[in-house]
Coordinates of all heavy atoms in Angstrom, one line a residue:
Chain B
N18 N 36.7 56.0 54.6 CA 36.2 56.2 55.9 C 36.3 57.6 56.3 O 35.4 58.2 56.9 CB 36.7 55.1 56.8 CG 35.7 54.0 56.9 OD1 34.6 54.1 56.3 ND2 36.3 52.9 57.5
S19 N 37.6 58.1 56.1 CA 37.9 59.4 56.7 C 37.1 60.5 56.0 O 36.8 61.5 56.5 CB 39.3 59.7 56.6 OG 39.9 59.3 55.3
A20 N 36.7 60.3 54.8 CA 36.0 61.3 53.9 C 34.7 61.4 54.6 O 34.0 62.4 54.8 CB 35.9 60.9 52.5
F21 N 34.1 60.2 54.9 CA 32.7 60.2 55.5 C 32.9 60.9 56.9 O 31.9 61.6 57.3 CB 32.2 58.7 55.8 CG 31.5 58.1 54.5 CD1 32.0 57.0 54.0 CD2 30.4 58.7 54.1 CE1 31.4 56.5 52.9 CE2 29.8 58.2 53.0 CZ 30.4 57.1 52.4
I22 N 33.9 60.7 57.6 CA 34.0 61.3 59.0 C 34.0 62.8 58.8 O 33.4 63.5 59.5 CB 35.2 60.8 59.8 CG1 34.9 59.3 60.1 CG2 35.5 61.5 61.0 CD1 36.2 58.6 60.7
A23 N 34.8 63.3 57.8 CA 34.9 64.7 57.6 C 33.6 65.3 57.3 O 33.3 66.4 57.8 CB 35.9 64.9 56.5
I24 N 32.8 64.7 56.4 CA 31.5 65.2 56.0 C 30.5 65.2 57.3 O 29.8 66.2 57.5 CB 30.9 64.3 54.9 CG1 31.6 64.7 53.7 CG2 29.4 64.7 54.7 CD1 31.4 63.7 52.5
A25 N 30.7 64.2 58.1 CA 29.8 64.0 59.3 C 30.1 65.2 60.2 O 29.3 65.9 60.8 CB 30.0 62.7 59.9
A26 N 31.5 65.5 60.4 CA 31.9 66.5 61.3 C 31.3 68.0 60.7 O 30.8 68.6 61.5 CB 33.4 66.6 61.4
A27 N 31.4 68.1 59.5 CA 30.9 69.4 58.9 C 29.4 69.4 59.1 O 29.0 70.6 59.6 CB 31.2 69.4 57.3
I28 N 28.6 68.4 58.9 CA 27.3 68.4 59.1 C 26.9 68.7 60.6 O 26.0 69.5 60.9 CB 26.6 67.1 58.6 CG1 26.7 67.0 57.1 CG2 25.0 67.2 59.0 CD1 26.1 65.6 56.5
A29 N 27.7 68.0 61.4 CA 27.4 68.2 62.9 C 27.5 69.7 63.3 O 26.6 70.3 63.9 CB 28.3 67.4 63.8
I30 N 28.5 70.3 62.8 CA 28.7 71.7 63.4 C 27.7 72.6 62.6 O 27.1 73.7 63.2 CB 30.2 72.2 63.1 CG1 30.5 73.6 63.7 CG2 30.7 72.2 61.8 CD1 30.2 73.7 65.2
A31 N 27.4 72.4 61.2 CA 26.6 73.2 60.6 C 25.2 73.2 61.1 O 24.5 74.3 61.4 CB 26.6 72.8 59.1
V32 N 24.6 72.1 61.3 CA 23.3 71.9 61.8 C 23.2 72.6 63.2 O 22.2 73.2 63.5 CB 22.7 70.5 61.8 CG1 21.4 70.4 62.3 CG2 22.7 69.9 60.2
S33 N 24.1 72.2 64.1 CA 24.1 72.7 65.4 C 24.4 74.1 65.5 O 24.2 74.8 66.6 CB 25.0 71.8 66.3 OG 26.4 72.2 66.0
T34 N 24.7 74.7 64.4 CA 24.9 76.2 64.5 C 23.6 76.9 64.0 O 23.1 77.9 64.5 CB 26.0 76.7 63.5 OG1 27.2 76.0 63.9 CG2 26.3 78.1 63.8
I35 N 23.0 76.3 63.0 CA 21.8 77.0 62.3 C 20.7 77.1 63.3 O 20.2 78.2 63.6 CB 21.5 76.2 61.0 CG1 22.5 76.3 60.0 CG2 20.1 76.8 60.6 CD1 22.3 75.4 58.8
A36 N 20.4 75.9 63.9 CA 19.2 75.9 64.8 C 19.3 76.8 66.0 O 18.4 77.7 66.2 CB 18.8 74.5 65.1
P37 N 20.3 76.7 66.7 CA 20.4 77.7 68.0 C 20.6 79.2 67.4 O 20.1 80.0 68.1 CB 21.7 77.4 68.7 CG 21.8 75.9 68.3 CD 21.4 75.9 66.9
A38 N 21.1 79.5 66.3 CA 21.2 80.8 65.7 C 19.7 81.3 65.5 O 19.5 82.5 65.9 CB 22.0 80.9 64.5
I39 N 18.8 80.5 65.0 CA 17.5 81.0 64.8 C 16.8 81.2 66.1 O 16.2 82.4 66.3 CB 16.7 79.9 64.0 CG1 17.3 79.8 62.5 CG2 15.3 80.4 63.9 CD1 16.8 78.7 61.7
A40 N 16.9 80.3 67.0 CA 16.4 80.4 68.3 C 16.9 81.7 69.1 O 16.1 82.4 69.6 CB 16.6 79.2 69.1
Q41 N 18.2 82.0 69.0 CA 18.8 83.0 69.7 C 18.3 84.4 69.0 O 18.1 85.3 69.8 CB 20.2 83.0 69.6 CG 20.9 82.0 70.6 CD 22.3 82.1 70.6 OE1 22.9 82.5 69.7 NE2 22.9 81.6 71.8
G42 N 18.1 84.4 67.8 CA 17.6 85.6 67.1 C 16.2 85.9 67.5 O 15.9 87.0 67.9
L43 N 15.4 84.8 67.6 CA 14.0 85.1 68.0 C 14.0 85.6 69.6 O 13.3 86.5 69.8 CB 13.2 83.8 68.0 CG 12.8 83.3 66.5 CD1 12.2 81.9 66.6 CD2 12.0 84.3 65.8
T44 N 14.9 85.0 70.3 CA 14.9 85.5 71.8 C 15.3 86.9 71.9 O 14.6 87.7 72.6 CB 15.9 84.5 72.5 OG1 15.7 83.2 72.2 CG2 15.7 84.8 74.0
A45 N 16.4 87.2 71.1 CA 16.8 88.6 71.2 C 15.8 89.5 70.7 O 15.7 90.7 71.2 CB 18.2 88.8 70.5
K46 N 15.1 89.2 69.6 CA 14.2 90.0 69.1 C 13.1 90.3 70.1 O 12.7 91.5 70.2 CB 13.5 89.3 67.8 CG 12.2 90.0 67.3 CD 11.8 89.2 66.1 CE 10.4 89.5 65.7 NZ 9.4 88.7 66.4

Side-chain angles (χ1 to χ4, degrees):
Chain B
N18 266 349
S19 46
F21 275 120
I22 292 172
I24 291 170
I28 291 174
I30 186 63
V32 173
S33 69
T34 313
I35 291 166
I39 295 169
Q41 286 188 333
L43 289 174
T44 314
K46 170 176 163 273

